[in-house]
């Protein structure tokens, strides 16, 4: 299972709000909702977020072992 918990910490550390992701970087509200709910997003979306935040993918997503 994937968790996007690292993303929320990275946003906080960089001082970027979810609102800013929507308005400045044009990340859709649907994408943010999927991330909040740890649902699937494309690798392209993860790439875009990493470029926006200037961070490695580990700062956005983490794999959690366990039941699905």
């Amino acid at each position: 299972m994937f968790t996007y918990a690292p993303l929320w910490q990275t946003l906080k550390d960089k001082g970027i709000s979810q609102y800013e992701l929507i308005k400045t970087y044009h990340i859709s509200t649907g994408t943010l909702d999927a991330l909040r709910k740890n649902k699937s997003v494309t690798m392209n979306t993860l790439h875009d977020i990493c470029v926006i935040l200037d961070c490695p993918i580990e700062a956005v997503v983490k794999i959690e072992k366990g039941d699905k």
Side-chain angles (χ1 to χ4, degrees):
M1 177 175 169
F2 292 103
T3 178
Y4 300 104
L7 169 61
W8 313 119
Q9 185 61 49
T10 300
L11 286 172
K12 183 178 177 183
D13 293 346
K14 293 187 176 270
I16 298 174
S17 68
Q18 291 181 42
Y19 180 81
E20 191 173 351
L21 285 178
I22 295 165
K23 293 298 179 185
T24 303
Y25 300 105
H26 310 290
I27 300 295
S28 75
T29 56
T31 296
L32 281 176
D33 188 54
L35 292 166
R36 277 188 223 101
K37 295 177 180 175
N38 292 323
K39 295 195 175 190
S40 291
V41 295
T42 67
M43 289 300 293
N44 189 53
T45 297
L46 294 176
H47 171 267
D48 291 346
I49 290 170
C50 289
V51 169
I52 289 166
L53 299 177
D54 189 29
C55 68
I57 195 164
E58 296 86 4
V60 174
V61 64
K62 178 181 173 185
I63 297 175
E64 289 187 338
K65 296 180 182 179
D67 292 336
K68 205 174 180 183

